[in-house]
mmCIF file of all heavy atoms in Angstrom:
data_model
loop_
_atom_site.group_PDB
_atom_site.id
_atom_site.type_symbol
_atom_site.label_atom_id
_atom_site.label_comp_id
_atom_site.label_asym_id
_atom_site.label_seq_id
_atom_site.Cartn_x
_atom_site.Cartn_y
_atom_site.Cartn_z
ATOM 1 N N VAL A 1 229.214 87.540 23.268
ATOM 2 C CA VAL A 1 229.027 86.828 24.534
ATOM 3 C C VAL A 1 227.754 87.270 25.249
ATOM 4 O O VAL A 1 227.005 86.448 25.790
ATOM 5 C CB VAL A 1 230.248 87.038 25.460
ATOM 6 C CG1 VAL A 1 230.024 86.338 26.808
ATOM 7 C CG2 VAL A 1 231.516 86.537 24.794
ATOM 8 N N HIS A 2 227.483 88.576 25.236
ATOM 9 C CA HIS A 2 226.428 89.123 26.088
ATOM 10 C C HIS A 2 225.232 89.703 25.327
ATOM 11 O O HIS A 2 224.242 90.090 25.955
ATOM 12 C CB HIS A 2 227.005 90.229 26.985
ATOM 13 C CG HIS A 2 228.143 89.779 27.840
ATOM 14 N ND1 HIS A 2 227.967 88.965 28.940
ATOM 15 C CD2 HIS A 2 229.481 90.027 27.758
ATOM 16 C CE1 HIS A 2 229.148 88.737 29.508
ATOM 17 N NE2 HIS A 2 230.081 89.367 28.808
ATOM 18 N N GLY A 3 225.306 89.779 24.025
ATOM 19 C CA GLY A 3 224.243 90.417 23.257
ATOM 20 C C GLY A 3 223.012 89.546 23.099
ATOM 21 O O GLY A 3 222.995 88.361 23.456
ATOM 22 N N ARG A 4 221.977 90.142 22.519
ATOM 23 C CA ARG A 4 220.714 89.435 22.294
ATOM 24 C C ARG A 4 220.721 88.853 20.879
ATOM 25 O O ARG A 4 220.734 89.591 19.893
ATOM 26 C CB ARG A 4 219.537 90.392 22.500
ATOM 27 C CG ARG A 4 219.389 90.808 23.955
ATOM 28 C CD ARG A 4 218.257 91.783 24.190
ATOM 29 N NE ARG A 4 218.602 93.133 23.798
ATOM 30 C CZ ARG A 4 218.002 94.236 24.277
ATOM 31 N NH1 ARG A 4 217.045 94.126 25.176
ATOM 32 N NH2 ARG A 4 218.355 95.427 23.858
ATOM 33 N N HIS A 5 220.678 87.531 20.811
ATOM 34 C CA HIS A 5 220.801 86.831 19.524
ATOM 35 C C HIS A 5 219.535 86.076 19.134
ATOM 36 O O HIS A 5 219.483 85.479 18.059
ATOM 37 C CB HIS A 5 221.963 85.831 19.575
ATOM 38 C CG HIS A 5 223.283 86.457 19.914
ATOM 39 N ND1 HIS A 5 224.110 87.003 18.964
ATOM 40 C CD2 HIS A 5 223.905 86.629 21.114
ATOM 41 C CE1 HIS A 5 225.208 87.477 19.547
ATOM 42 N NE2 HIS A 5 225.098 87.266 20.859
ATOM 43 N N ASP A 6 218.520 86.069 20.001
ATOM 44 C CA ASP A 6 217.345 85.242 19.753
ATOM 45 C C ASP A 6 216.051 86.061 19.721
ATOM 46 O O ASP A 6 214.986 85.556 20.071
ATOM 47 C CB ASP A 6 217.226 84.148 20.829
ATOM 48 C CG ASP A 6 218.407 83.180 20.778
ATOM 49 O OD1 ASP A 6 218.748 82.750 19.665
ATOM 50 O OD2 ASP A 6 218.975 82.882 21.845
ATOM 51 N N LEU A 7 216.144 87.301 19.291
ATOM 52 C CA LEU A 7 214.949 88.120 19.166
ATOM 53 C C LEU A 7 214.145 87.652 17.955
ATOM 54 O O LEU A 7 214.720 87.239 16.941
ATOM 55 C CB LEU A 7 215.337 89.591 19.008
ATOM 56 C CG LEU A 7 216.089 90.181 20.213
ATOM 57 C CD1 LEU A 7 216.613 91.575 19.892
ATOM 58 C CD2 LEU A 7 215.188 90.220 21.441
ATOM 59 N N PRO A 8 212.821 87.678 18.026
ATOM 60 C CA PRO A 8 212.014 87.071 16.956
ATOM 61 C C PRO A 8 212.229 87.710 15.588
ATOM 62 O O PRO A 8 212.089 87.031 14.564
ATOM 63 C CB PRO A 8 210.571 87.258 17.447
ATOM 64 C CG PRO A 8 210.630 88.302 18.505
ATOM 65 C CD PRO A 8 211.981 88.180 19.128
ATOM 66 N N TRP A 9 212.570 88.995 15.530
ATOM 67 C CA TRP A 9 212.776 89.639 14.230
ATOM 68 C C TRP A 9 214.148 89.324 13.638
ATOM 69 O O TRP A 9 214.440 89.707 12.509
ATOM 70 C CB TRP A 9 212.584 91.147 14.347
ATOM 71 C CG TRP A 9 213.224 91.779 15.549
ATOM 72 C CD1 TRP A 9 214.489 92.241 15.664
ATOM 73 C CD2 TRP A 9 212.589 92.003 16.812
ATOM 74 N NE1 TRP A 9 214.701 92.747 16.925
ATOM 75 C CE2 TRP A 9 213.557 92.622 17.647
ATOM 76 C CE3 TRP A 9 211.309 91.754 17.310
ATOM 77 C CZ2 TRP A 9 213.261 92.984 18.959
ATOM 78 C CZ3 TRP A 9 211.035 92.120 18.620
ATOM 79 C CH2 TRP A 9 211.994 92.726 19.428
ATOM 80 N N GLN A 10 214.960 88.589 14.385
ATOM 81 C CA GLN A 10 216.262 88.164 13.846
ATOM 82 C C GLN A 10 216.175 86.834 13.112
ATOM 83 O O GLN A 10 217.108 86.457 12.410
ATOM 84 C CB GLN A 10 217.276 88.046 14.996
ATOM 85 C CG GLN A 10 217.588 89.359 15.686
ATOM 86 C CD GLN A 10 218.445 89.175 16.936
ATOM 87 O OE1 GLN A 10 218.402 88.124 17.590
ATOM 88 N NE2 GLN A 10 219.229 90.185 17.280
ATOM 89 N N HIS A 11 215.068 86.122 13.269
ATOM 90 C CA HIS A 11 214.940 84.766 12.710
ATOM 91 C C HIS A 11 213.559 84.562 12.093
ATOM 92 O O HIS A 11 212.618 84.212 12.815
ATOM 93 C CB HIS A 11 215.185 83.722 13.799
ATOM 94 C CG HIS A 11 216.445 83.941 14.580
ATOM 95 N ND1 HIS A 11 217.690 83.687 14.068
ATOM 96 C CD2 HIS A 11 216.642 84.418 15.841
ATOM 97 C CE1 HIS A 11 218.600 83.974 14.983
ATOM 98 N NE2 HIS A 11 217.990 84.428 16.071
ATOM 99 N N PRO A 12 213.359 84.761 10.803
ATOM 100 C CA PRO A 12 214.360 85.249 9.862
ATOM 101 C C PRO A 12 214.457 86.772 9.913
ATOM 102 O O PRO A 12 213.518 87.442 10.319
ATOM 103 C CB PRO A 12 213.814 84.792 8.507
ATOM 104 C CG PRO A 12 212.328 84.827 8.703
ATOM 105 C CD PRO A 12 212.098 84.405 10.139
ATOM 106 N N ARG A 13 215.566 87.279 9.480
ATOM 107 C CA ARG A 13 215.801 88.725 9.477
ATOM 108 C C ARG A 13 215.515 89.257 8.076
ATOM 109 O O ARG A 13 216.369 89.247 7.199
ATOM 110 C CB ARG A 13 217.243 89.012 9.897
ATOM 111 C CG ARG A 13 217.567 90.487 10.058
ATOM 112 C CD ARG A 13 219.028 90.640 10.458
ATOM 113 N NE ARG A 13 219.213 90.642 11.891
ATOM 114 C CZ ARG A 13 220.311 90.232 12.514
ATOM 115 N NH1 ARG A 13 221.299 89.721 11.806
ATOM 116 N NH2 ARG A 13 220.410 90.295 13.815
ATOM 117 N N THR A 14 214.293 89.671 7.857
ATOM 118 C CA THR A 14 213.886 90.212 6.560
ATOM 119 C C THR A 14 213.687 91.718 6.677
ATOM 120 O O THR A 14 213.494 92.250 7.788
ATOM 121 C CB THR A 14 212.564 89.585 6.092
ATOM 122 O OG1 THR A 14 211.510 90.019 6.974
ATOM 123 C CG2 THR A 14 212.644 88.053 6.098
ATOM 124 N N PRO A 15 213.716 92.445 5.560
ATOM 125 C CA PRO A 15 213.485 93.904 5.639
ATOM 126 C C PRO A 15 212.178 94.251 6.332
ATOM 127 O O PRO A 15 212.133 95.181 7.151
ATOM 128 C CB PRO A 15 213.496 94.334 4.170
ATOM 129 C CG PRO A 15 214.391 93.334 3.498
ATOM 130 C CD PRO A 15 214.111 92.027 4.199
ATOM 131 N N TYR A 16 211.108 93.527 6.028
ATOM 132 C CA TYR A 16 209.807 93.821 6.636
ATOM 133 C C TYR A 16 209.848 93.612 8.142
ATOM 134 O O TYR A 16 209.384 94.455 8.924
ATOM 135 C CB TYR A 16 208.731 92.928 6.009
ATOM 136 C CG TYR A 16 207.370 93.051 6.656
ATOM 137 C CD1 TYR A 16 206.587 94.182 6.453
ATOM 138 C CD2 TYR A 16 206.861 92.029 7.468
ATOM 139 C CE1 TYR A 16 205.325 94.300 7.044
ATOM 140 C CE2 TYR A 16 205.601 92.139 8.056
ATOM 141 C CZ TYR A 16 204.843 93.280 7.832
ATOM 142 O OH TYR A 16 203.601 93.390 8.419
ATOM 143 N N ARG A 17 210.390 92.496 8.587
ATOM 144 C CA ARG A 17 210.418 92.194 10.016
ATOM 145 C C ARG A 17 211.330 93.162 10.763
ATOM 146 O O ARG A 17 211.019 93.594 11.883
ATOM 147 C CB ARG A 17 210.868 90.740 10.228
ATOM 148 C CG ARG A 17 209.842 89.717 9.722
ATOM 149 C CD ARG A 17 210.455 88.308 9.647
ATOM 150 N NE ARG A 17 210.752 87.779 10.969
ATOM 151 C CZ ARG A 17 209.907 87.079 11.716
ATOM 152 N NH1 ARG A 17 208.685 86.823 11.269
ATOM 153 N NH2 ARG A 17 210.261 86.613 12.893
ATOM 154 N N VAL A 18 212.458 93.521 10.158
ATOM 155 C CA VAL A 18 213.344 94.501 10.781
ATOM 156 C C VAL A 18 212.639 95.846 10.908
ATOM 157 O O VAL A 18 212.668 96.497 11.964
ATOM 158 C CB VAL A 18 214.652 94.650 9.973
ATOM 159 C CG1 VAL A 18 215.452 95.858 10.462
ATOM 160 C CG2 VAL A 18 215.490 93.386 10.082
ATOM 161 N N TRP A 19 212.003 96.264 9.825
ATOM 162 C CA TRP A 19 211.291 97.544 9.829
ATOM 163 C C TRP A 19 210.207 97.562 10.904
ATOM 164 O O TRP A 19 210.119 98.505 11.697
ATOM 165 C CB TRP A 19 210.706 97.779 8.442
ATOM 166 C CG TRP A 19 209.711 98.886 8.311
ATOM 167 C CD1 TRP A 19 209.806 100.149 8.841
ATOM 168 C CD2 TRP A 19 208.470 98.844 7.602
ATOM 169 N NE1 TRP A 19 208.703 100.896 8.492
ATOM 170 C CE2 TRP A 19 207.869 100.116 7.737
ATOM 171 C CE3 TRP A 19 207.817 97.858 6.859
ATOM 172 C CZ2 TRP A 19 206.632 100.422 7.151
ATOM 173 C CZ3 TRP A 19 206.597 98.163 6.270
ATOM 174 C CH2 TRP A 19 206.015 99.438 6.415
ATOM 175 N N LEU A 20 209.376 96.530 10.948
ATOM 176 C CA LEU A 20 208.309 96.461 11.936
ATOM 177 C C LEU A 20 208.875 96.518 13.349
ATOM 178 O O LEU A 20 208.372 97.254 14.211
ATOM 179 C CB LEU A 20 207.500 95.181 11.739
ATOM 180 C CG LEU A 20 206.399 94.901 12.768
ATOM 181 C CD1 LEU A 20 205.374 96.023 12.778
ATOM 182 C CD2 LEU A 20 205.732 93.557 12.480
ATOM 183 N N SER A 21 209.930 95.775 13.607
ATOM 184 C CA SER A 21 210.503 95.770 14.953
ATOM 185 C C SER A 21 211.052 97.145 15.321
ATOM 186 O O SER A 21 210.898 97.606 16.459
ATOM 187 C CB SER A 21 211.611 94.715 15.063
ATOM 188 O OG SER A 21 212.764 95.080 14.328
ATOM 189 N N GLU A 22 211.684 97.820 14.381
ATOM 190 C CA GLU A 22 212.252 99.135 14.670
ATOM 191 C C GLU A 22 211.170 100.154 14.999
ATOM 192 O O GLU A 22 211.334 100.982 15.897
ATOM 193 C CB GLU A 22 213.082 99.625 13.478
ATOM 194 C CG GLU A 22 214.411 98.912 13.320
ATOM 195 C CD GLU A 22 215.314 99.086 14.521
ATOM 196 O OE1 GLU A 22 215.400 100.214 15.047
ATOM 197 O OE2 GLU A 22 215.915 98.092 14.968
ATOM 198 N N ILE A 23 210.052 100.101 14.291
ATOM 199 C CA ILE A 23 208.960 101.022 14.587
ATOM 200 C C ILE A 23 208.351 100.706 15.952
ATOM 201 O O ILE A 23 208.083 101.595 16.763
ATOM 202 C CB ILE A 23 207.877 100.950 13.488
ATOM 203 C CG1 ILE A 23 208.470 101.314 12.125
ATOM 204 C CG2 ILE A 23 206.716 101.873 13.832
ATOM 205 C CD1 ILE A 23 209.059 102.706 12.040
ATOM 206 N N MET A 24 208.150 99.421 16.246
ATOM 207 C CA MET A 24 207.586 99.040 17.533
ATOM 208 C C MET A 24 208.509 99.401 18.694
ATOM 209 O O MET A 24 208.042 99.734 19.799
ATOM 210 C CB MET A 24 207.294 97.537 17.559
ATOM 211 C CG MET A 24 206.078 97.130 16.751
ATOM 212 S SD MET A 24 205.685 95.367 16.979
ATOM 213 C CE MET A 24 204.023 95.303 16.299
ATOM 214 N N LEU A 25 209.812 99.332 18.462
ATOM 215 C CA LEU A 25 210.773 99.570 19.533
ATOM 216 C C LEU A 25 210.989 101.044 19.835
ATOM 217 O O LEU A 25 211.667 101.376 20.811
ATOM 218 C CB LEU A 25 212.121 98.920 19.180
ATOM 219 C CG LEU A 25 212.158 97.396 19.283
ATOM 220 C CD1 LEU A 25 213.387 96.832 18.592
ATOM 221 C CD2 LEU A 25 212.117 96.960 20.746
ATOM 222 N N GLN A 26 210.433 101.927 19.030
ATOM 223 C CA GLN A 26 210.552 103.350 19.323
ATOM 224 C C GLN A 26 209.817 103.669 20.615
ATOM 225 O O GLN A 26 208.619 103.477 20.719
ATOM 226 C CB GLN A 26 209.984 104.182 18.163
ATOM 227 C CG GLN A 26 210.801 104.092 16.889
ATOM 228 C CD GLN A 26 210.103 104.753 15.704
ATOM 229 O OE1 GLN A 26 208.992 105.273 15.828
ATOM 230 N NE2 GLN A 26 210.744 104.732 14.550
ATOM 231 N N GLN A 27 210.555 104.102 21.619
ATOM 232 C CA GLN A 27 210.016 104.481 22.924
ATOM 233 C C GLN A 27 209.299 103.321 23.629
ATOM 234 O O GLN A 27 208.418 103.538 24.468
ATOM 235 C CB GLN A 27 209.062 105.681 22.779
ATOM 236 C CG GLN A 27 209.725 106.886 22.120
ATOM 237 C CD GLN A 27 208.829 108.090 22.065
ATOM 238 O OE1 GLN A 27 208.482 108.653 23.097
ATOM 239 N NE2 GLN A 27 208.463 108.523 20.875
ATOM 240 N N THR A 28 209.661 102.088 23.274
ATOM 241 C CA THR A 28 209.031 100.910 23.882
ATOM 242 C C THR A 28 210.098 99.845 24.126
ATOM 243 O O THR A 28 210.951 99.619 23.268
ATOM 244 C CB THR A 28 207.932 100.336 22.970
ATOM 245 O OG1 THR A 28 207.063 101.390 22.545
ATOM 246 C CG2 THR A 28 207.108 99.292 23.701
#
């Protein structure tokens, strides 16, 4: 109900895009 479902790395959710997002999201 309340979570984030439309983040750009979720569509499509590939290993590369997930990895990139996780590194960028560190302390950001």
Side-chain angles (χ1 to χ4, degrees):
V1 178
H2 303 287
R4 292 178 282 203
H5 303 273
D6 296 314
L7 297 172
W9 44 87
Q10 295 172 332
H11 310 286
R13 186 181 270 152
T14 67
Y16 174 73
R17 292 167 68 89
V18 169
W19 168 45
L20 176 60
S21 70
E22 286 299 317
I23 300 300
M24 286 186 165
L25 287 166
Q26 292 171 359
Q27 303 184 66
T28 311

